[in-house]
Amino acid sequence: MPSPKSLSRSAVSSVSASAIVSSLLTVQTSGAGFVDLTAEVARFVSDAGAQEGAVTLFVRHTSASLTIQENADPSVLADLMTVLDRLAPEDAGWSHDTEGPDDMPAHIKTMLTATSLQIPVLKGEFMLGTWQAIYLIEHRRNPHRREIVLQFIGEHG
């Protein structure tokens, strides 16, 4: 069966991972919501001299998470917060409320999203799409200090 004419793929490239470059990014949040990390991650990729490989982000918390989402219309982020709040409301009678009524919902929201992301780097270019941005999602009402491990693995120069 022939391939559809609407598909195309670039030539395969192969490199040996010659570097692992790491950094710890600290973010002070202002409470529940999205924090755009895209520019800082792009700066890390540049500082690492990344040529070909992957950059990984890992958030070191159980009540905050990471996502790649649209960067053009802020109503997307507002709607995403609304759906997360509907999926894990504060008033659902949770047993775990040690740190307040938003504690257990924050853990659920983290479980439903992601604690790590990986983005390819090809020919020195960070491969996010035009309308994509990397966000830390703070799931707690109050401000928190969050740590994100950044790591590039691949060829650098």
Side-chain angles (χ1 to χ4, degrees), residues 33-78:
F34 288 79
V35 178
D36 190 339
L37 304 177
T38 311
E40 191 57 41
V41 177
R43 193 170 9 267
F44 166 73
V45 168
S46 175
D47 291 349
Q51 292 302 307
E52 193 132 347
V55 63
T56 300
L57 292 80
F58 174 77
V59 64
R60 301 182 66 211
H61 304 278
T62 60
S63 57
S65 58
L66 300 166
T67 192
I68 295 174
Q69 261 309 325
E70 179 175 327
N71 63 8
D73 184 348
S75 68
V76 170
L77 302 180

Side-chain angles (χ1 to χ4, degrees), residues 5-122:
K5 293 183 186 215
S6 63
L7 296 177
S8 67
R9 182 171 52 88
S10 68
V12 173
S13 66
S14 176
V15 298
S16 295
S18 62
I20 299 175
V21 182
S22 304
S23 184
L24 184 64
L25 174 63
T26 302
V27 178
Q28 181 63 50
T29 70
S30 57
F34 288 79
V35 178
D36 190 339
L37 304 177
T38 311
E40 191 57 41
V41 177
R43 193 170 9 267
F44 166 73
V45 168
S46 175
D47 291 349
Q51 292 302 307
E52 193 132 347
V55 63
T56 300
L57 292 80
F58 174 77
V59 64
R60 301 182 66 211
H61 304 278
T62 60
S63 57
S65 58
L66 300 166
T67 192
I68 295 174
Q69 261 309 325
E70 179 175 327
N71 63 8
D73 184 348
S75 68
V76 170
L77 302 180
D79 287 345
L80 289 171
M81 288 302 287
T82 298
V83 76
L84 287 172
D85 289 340
R86 286 180 185 164
L87 290 170
E90 287 187 20
D91 60 357
W94 309 110
S95 331
H96 177 73
D97 61 359
T98 308
E99 295 177 37
D102 67 335
D103 192 17
M104 189 60 210
H107 294 304
I108 294 167
K109 293 170 187 178
T110 298
M111 185 180 73
L112 293 173
T113 50
T115 55
S116 67
L117 300 173
Q118 187 174 48
I119 300 104
V121 176
L122 299 175

